[in-house]
């Protein structure tokens, strides 16, 4: 029922974290604990894989048609039936690193890009608080022009093969629609905090237990934890 509810939700949040299975029969194998959630629903799956094989096992993304909010892990982008929204907080962290690494004066574009994304978030927050469902065309146009200007500025300042910045600049251009999804649909948040909150306590569990003894135990944990988290969310 939780999974069915998620498939019908206009926006879902996705994340994953490493877990360990088989601790009693020799070295534990590295698995992945996947979460799919909304403000009212949480679903967990433990799987040996991190990418598309795990997505197929969960059974959500291959047929999902809403908006999936996630980080930039490449396997999410292989699902074309849904819209994608990238977590803005992850991008802010990368821009902060580039702006502050070594001599900050060499990367003014990164600091400016960070400020621009933060300003866009504030604009979307204000519109949402005012009861708007979308930003006006003039505001959207201004934000898009600022984004394009800073992207060109970064590419001119640091063309490939400046590896760290080139990778981020490439993704900011390729995934522009996903980066700015929160501006075009105010139901989509700027960040992926919902999924990160839901997965945080599973990390604590792993630190305490050291891992799941069997795949069956991992599966049972996911079912129980998802049920309890959903019940808590719904009061």
């Amino acid at each position: 029922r939780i999974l069915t509810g998620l498939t019908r939700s206009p926006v879902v949040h996705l994340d994953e974290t490493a877990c360990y299975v088989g601790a009693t029969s020799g070295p534990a194998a590295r698995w992945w604990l996947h979460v799919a959630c909304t403000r009212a629903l949480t679903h967990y799956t433990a799987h040996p894989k991190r990418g598309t094989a795990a997505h197929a096992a969960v059974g959500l993304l291959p047929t999902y048609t809403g908006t999936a909010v996630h980080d930039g892990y490449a396997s999410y982008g292989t699902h074309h039936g849904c819209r994608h929204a990238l977590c803005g907080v992850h991008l802010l962290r990368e821009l902060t690193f580039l702006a502050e690494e070594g001599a900050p004066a060499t990367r003014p574009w990164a600091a400016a890009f960070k400020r621009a994304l933060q300003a866009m978030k504030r604009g979307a927050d204000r519109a949402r608080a005012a009861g708007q469902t979308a930003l006006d065309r003039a505001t959207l146009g201004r934000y898009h022009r600022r984004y394009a200007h800073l992207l060109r500025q970064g590419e001119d300042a640091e063309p490939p093969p400046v590896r760290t910045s080139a990778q981020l600049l490439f993704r900011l251009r390729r995934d522009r629609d996903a980066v700015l999804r929160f501006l075009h649909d105010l139901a989509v948040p700027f960040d992926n905090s919902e999924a990160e909150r839901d997965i945080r306590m599973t990390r604590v569990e792993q630190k305490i237990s050291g891992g799941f003894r069997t795949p069956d135990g991992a599966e049972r944990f996911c079912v129980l934890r998802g049920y309890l988290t959903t019940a808590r969310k719904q009061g």
Side-chain angles (χ1 to χ4, degrees), residues 93-107:
R93 289 175 191 148
E94 291 186 77
L95 290 165
T96 299
F97 172 78
L98 289 176
E100 297 178 357
E101 181 197 19
T106 63
R107 289 190 173 98

Side-chain angles (χ1 to χ4, degrees), residues 25-37:
S25 56
R30 188 184 197 187
W31 280 37
W32 294 90
L33 197 148
H34 299 260
V35 65
C37 61

Side-chain angles (χ1 to χ4, degrees), residues 150-209:
L150 290 171
L151 187 58
R152 287 194 301 270
Q153 192 176 81
E155 291 170 338
D156 290 343
E158 298 188 56
V162 183
R163 186 168 179 79
T164 304
S165 57
Q167 286 182 343
L168 176 59
L169 287 163
F170 172 76
R171 286 186 282 115
L172 287 171
R173 179 170 293 281
R174 181 194 64 188
D175 302 329
R176 180 190 62 181
D177 290 347
V179 173
L180 299 180
R181 186 74 62 196
F182 72 99
L183 294 177
H184 292 267
D185 182 354
L186 294 181
V188 176
F190 177 76
D191 56 49
N192 196 27
S193 297
E194 190 70 42
E196 292 180 358
R197 280 193 299 268
D198 279 357
I199 214 162
R200 188 172 298 131
M201 288 308 295
T202 67
R203 293 191 182 120
V204 174
E205 190 278 338
Q206 286 287 289
K207 287 180 180 178
I208 294 171
S209 70

Side-chain angles (χ1 to χ4, degrees), residues 16-206:
E16 70 284 326
T17 189
C19 63
Y20 294 88
V21 176
T24 60
S25 56
R30 188 184 197 187
W31 280 37
W32 294 90
L33 197 148
H34 299 260
V35 65
C37 61
T38 67
R39 286 187 294 177
L41 301 167
T42 299
H43 183 275
Y44 296 102
T45 303
H47 196 273
K49 301 293 185 180
R50 186 182 183 186
T52 52
H55 299 165
V58 175
L60 174 65
L61 274 179
T63 58
Y64 184 62
T65 58
T67 299
V69 184
H70 51 78
D71 60 23
Y73 189 58
S75 64
Y76 289 119
T78 63
H79 299 282
H80 305 296
C82 62
R83 292 173 296 279
H84 295 271
L86 290 184
C87 175
V89 171
H90 279 75
L91 295 172
L92 292 180
R93 289 175 191 148
E94 291 186 77
L95 290 165
T96 299
F97 172 78
L98 289 176
E100 297 178 357
E101 181 197 19
T106 63
R107 289 190 173 98
W109 68 267
F113 217 123
K114 176 182 174 180
R115 291 193 298 270
L117 286 178
Q118 290 171 323
M120 293 176 193
K121 177 186 181 301
R122 290 193 296 271
D125 288 343
R126 285 193 298 269
R128 197 179 295 110
Q132 296 175 226
T133 57
L135 293 172
D136 61 87
R137 291 173 63 88
T139 301
L140 277 175
R142 185 173 72 252
Y143 285 155
H144 274 270
R145 288 190 296 274
R146 181 63 174 160
Y147 188 100
H149 171 74
L150 290 171
L151 187 58
R152 287 194 301 270
Q153 192 176 81
E155 291 170 338
D156 290 343
E158 298 188 56
V162 183
R163 186 168 179 79
T164 304
S165 57
Q167 286 182 343
L168 176 59
L169 287 163
F170 172 76
R171 286 186 282 115
L172 287 171
R173 179 170 293 281
R174 181 194 64 188
D175 302 329
R176 180 190 62 181
D177 290 347
V179 173
L180 299 180
R181 186 74 62 196
F182 72 99
L183 294 177
H184 292 267
D185 182 354
L186 294 181
V188 176
F190 177 76
D191 56 49
N192 196 27
S193 297
E194 190 70 42
E196 292 180 358
R197 280 193 299 268
D198 279 357
I199 214 162
R200 188 172 298 131
M201 288 308 295
T202 67
R203 293 191 182 120
V204 174
E205 190 278 338
Q206 286 287 289

